[in-house]
Amino acid sequence: MNQDKILDALNLLDDDMIEAVDVLRIKPKVRFKWGHSLAVAACVAVAVFGAFAFWGSDNSPEFSADSNIEDNVFQENAEDIFEEEKSSFNDIADTENKNNSNCAEEGRIESHSLAWPPVYVEILEFNGRGLKACVIRDNGCKHFEENEILTVIYGDEYYALTTPDFKIGDKVYVFYWIDKNDRLTIYTSDIVYEENDYFEKRRIQNEEKVCR
Amino acid sequence: MQDEKIVELYWQRDESAIRETRDKYGAYLHKIAYNILSDAEDSYESVNDTYLAAWNSMPPHKPSVLSTYLGKLTRRISIDIFRKRNRQKRQATEYSVSLNELGDCLTDGNTPENEYEVKLLAECINTFLRTLSEDARNTFIGRYYFLDSVKDVAKYCGMSESKAKTLLFRTRNSLREYLKKEGFEL
């Protein structure tokens, strides 16, 4: 058996499957970008909120003569802004949860949400395609056991490579997705030192995409 | 012109069938050929050979979807040209020239046993592809039948390039396991 035989065999594929792809080549599927839409919605929400805050000054409380007006406005709105940030983090988590349910239908499980925490590992060695690591703590992820050795393959969106070098012996969080039939090989879009770094990175990237 | 009318022209041995085919499917067939050969001249030769093969095969064939039928002809012809071109490239040393001469003693590999094995393999792959999700199937066919780049496949399947690469990787692995299970020697 060699690849020539497979190439020849592919020439005998059923016509209906070929026609389905032919249709796509003429009229491609539109890719719905969840992150992009959420980022736009978040920007619109901030703009609307900002407009209300600016024009709603008739209802603002009286400030003492000695206080700095800017400080008082900041004080009053800080809680609202904090709530805004929390809700955009929750939006990201909700999106990831939705992606998880889509992935579950396809037979994958994606760990990019609060429901599926990343696994905490110690890096053992690097190779050209990824790294080997030992699970220190399953972090509640339920897919890996302590002391299990994992093979991690980098996804294309491997942002961590451009940040401080990871070294053998480093302890990091690995966000993963796996095939239900192939649990030993995991892919990652991100490896980070701190769990919250992942969500912050995603938020910044989404904002950058919107502003471009 | 509709496919049925073009096929009718072939059956009537009307040479305008070739012109109609070229007008409707010329670019489509050229793209398939170019994906394999990456050479404009060879692609042109392949597409012209396709028209000849279509003329010689209709009748008796009467395809309902002409694009798929012609696409298969072009693909097969282009792959044959590619293999022949590669064999000629290897004629750099006396060793390879001698090997090539000895090739006259052998068949071109298209033995009945070989063809039967390819048919069995095709049936197996067809069954396997039908077990896949739509996305996995379409990316596989786009990449390995149409031989489009991963970037193009990802674009028309409506997914990111990394997702397409991952799907292809997993599908290849699953196909390997499936073929092993079905008794094919790998």
Side-chain angles (χ1 to χ4, degrees):
Chain A
M1 173 74 54
N2 56 24
Q3 59 259 39
D4 285 341
K5 282 196 182 145
I6 295 187
L7 273 178
D8 290 339
L10 286 174
N11 228 45
L12 300 174
L13 281 183
D14 291 341
D15 287 356
D16 60 315
M17 290 193 284
I18 296 172
E19 279 154 34
V21 180
D22 241 344
V23 166
L24 280 181
R25 288 166 101 229
I26 297 166
K27 203 177 172 195
K29 263 190 196 174
V30 174
R31 182 179 160 203
F32 187 76
K33 296 176 186 175
W34 282 101
H36 182 252
S37 306
L38 279 174
V40 168
C43 284
V44 167
V46 167
V48 166
F49 172 78
F52 271 116
F54 181 74
W55 280 303
S57 57
D58 284 345
N59 295 325
S60 60
E62 286 182 8
F63 302 121
S64 67
D66 293 334
S67 69
N68 185 313
I69 289 176
E70 283 176 352
D71 284 343
N72 282 326
V73 169
F74 179 79
Q75 187 69 32
E76 184 200 332
N77 293 332
E79 211 169 33
D80 291 341
I81 290 169
F82 181 66
E83 286 299 320
E84 178 84 32
E85 283 181 345
K86 260 176 56 175
S87 77
S88 73
F89 272 120
N90 286 337
D91 287 344
I92 291 170
D94 283 346
T95 305
E96 307 294 7
N97 277 332
K98 275 183 200 157
N99 284 343
N100 275 347
S101 61
N102 289 340
C103 294
E105 283 166 14
E106 292 176 26
R108 302 192 265 130
I109 303 159
E110 185 158 345
S111 167
H112 288 166
S113 78
L114 302 173
W116 297 102
V119 60
Y120 191 52
V121 305
E122 180 178 342
I123 298 176
L124 298 178
E125 66 178 63
F126 294 102
N127 58 46
R129 294 187 63 205
L131 56 89
K132 267 204 167 81
C134 177
V135 177
I136 300 169
R137 198 170 68 231
D138 63 23
N139 203 33
C141 72
K142 295 176 190 172
H143 295 111
F144 306 104
E145 291 171 359
E146 284 182 22
N147 300 318
E148 188 173 341
I149 304 295
L150 306 178
T151 301
V152 178
I153 298 180
Y154 302 145
D156 278 350
E157 297 172 6
Y158 185 58
Y159 306 112
L161 278 174
T162 62
T163 56
D165 292 337
F166 292 96
K167 301 181 292 300
I168 291 174
D170 275 2
K171 296 182 174 63
V172 293
Y173 290 92
V174 174
F175 287 76
Y176 63 92
W177 65 270
I178 57 172
D179 187 314
K180 67 178 178 184
N181 295 321
D182 185 13
R183 294 180 61 195
L184 292 181
T185 306
I186 58 180
Y187 295 82
T188 182
S189 291
D190 262 290
I191 297 177
V192 291
Y193 282 118
E194 295 295 330
E195 201 171 334
N196 284 335
D197 287 353
Y198 174 80
F199 291 110
E200 182 61 24
K201 264 188 201 166
R202 283 252 165 159
R203 192 178 67 84
I204 290 169
Q205 275 142 18
N206 286 337
E207 280 173 6
E208 279 172 4
K209 277 181 198 167
V210 168
C211 295
R212 257 185 241 139
Chain B
M1 190 182 269
Q2 285 179 339
D3 284 355
E4 297 83 25
K5 295 205 169 110
I6 299 178
V7 171
E8 203 45 51
L9 288 175
Y10 278 102
W11 274 66
Q12 289 166 6
R13 310 314 281 160
D14 185 340
E15 288 178 6
S16 62
I18 308 283
R19 191 178 57 247
E20 295 296 334
T21 305
R22 189 189 60 219
D23 289 346
K24 191 169 182 185
Y25 293 117
Y28 169 80
L29 298 176
H30 186 85
K31 171 93 169 105
I32 293 176
Y34 195 82
N35 276 353
I36 297 169
L37 298 166
S38 299
D39 181 86
E41 225 174 276
D42 284 349
S43 306
Y44 182 75
E45 180 192 334
S46 169
V47 171
N48 278 343
D49 286 349
T50 302
Y51 299 145
L52 178 62
W55 180 259
N56 290 337
S57 62
M58 289 187 278
H61 288 94
K62 204 167 197 176
S64 52
V65 181
L66 201 51
S67 59
T68 310
Y69 181 76
L70 295 171
K72 283 183 174 177
L73 287 176
T74 302
R75 193 177 176 276
R76 179 174 56 76
I77 291 167
S78 301
I79 288 174
D80 287 345
I81 292 176
F82 179 84
R83 286 171 181 160
K84 191 173 153 190
R85 200 170 68 184
N86 274 3
R87 274 201 295 274
Q88 283 171 350
K89 271 191 190 162
R90 286 199 292 269
Q91 287 179 3
T93 64
E94 283 302 321
Y95 171 69
S96 50
V97 169
S98 313
L99 266 185
N100 206 44
E101 287 164 0
L102 282 174
D104 293 342
C105 308
L106 304 168
T107 61
D108 58 358
N110 285 340
T111 60
E113 292 83 8
N114 215 37
E115 285 188 13
Y116 180 67
E117 195 182 349
V118 166
K119 249 189 196 149
L120 278 181
L121 183 58
E123 270 171 28
C124 210
I125 294 177
N126 274 319
T127 309
F128 167 75
L129 287 178
R130 290 201 188 278
T131 67
L132 300 178
S133 67
E134 194 186 326
D135 275 349
R137 184 169 54 244
N138 290 341
T139 46
F140 186 87
I141 292 174
R143 180 78 184 113
Y144 300 117
Y145 175 83
F146 286 101
L147 299 162
D148 289 327
S149 66
V150 176
K151 188 175 172 184
D152 286 343
V153 170
K155 203 168 165 188
Y156 60 67
C157 287
M159 60 181 73
S160 66
E161 211 174 314
S162 67
K163 182 178 173 183
K165 278 186 194 167
T166 308
L167 265 182
L168 287 168
F169 176 79
R170 292 179 181 289
T171 306
R172 287 196 307 269
N173 283 347
S174 302
L175 176 60
R176 185 176 58 230
E177 292 308 312
Y178 185 82
L179 291 178
K180 252 196 228 172
K181 205 174 71 176
E182 293 296 311
F184 286 93
E185 280 175 23
L186 303 176

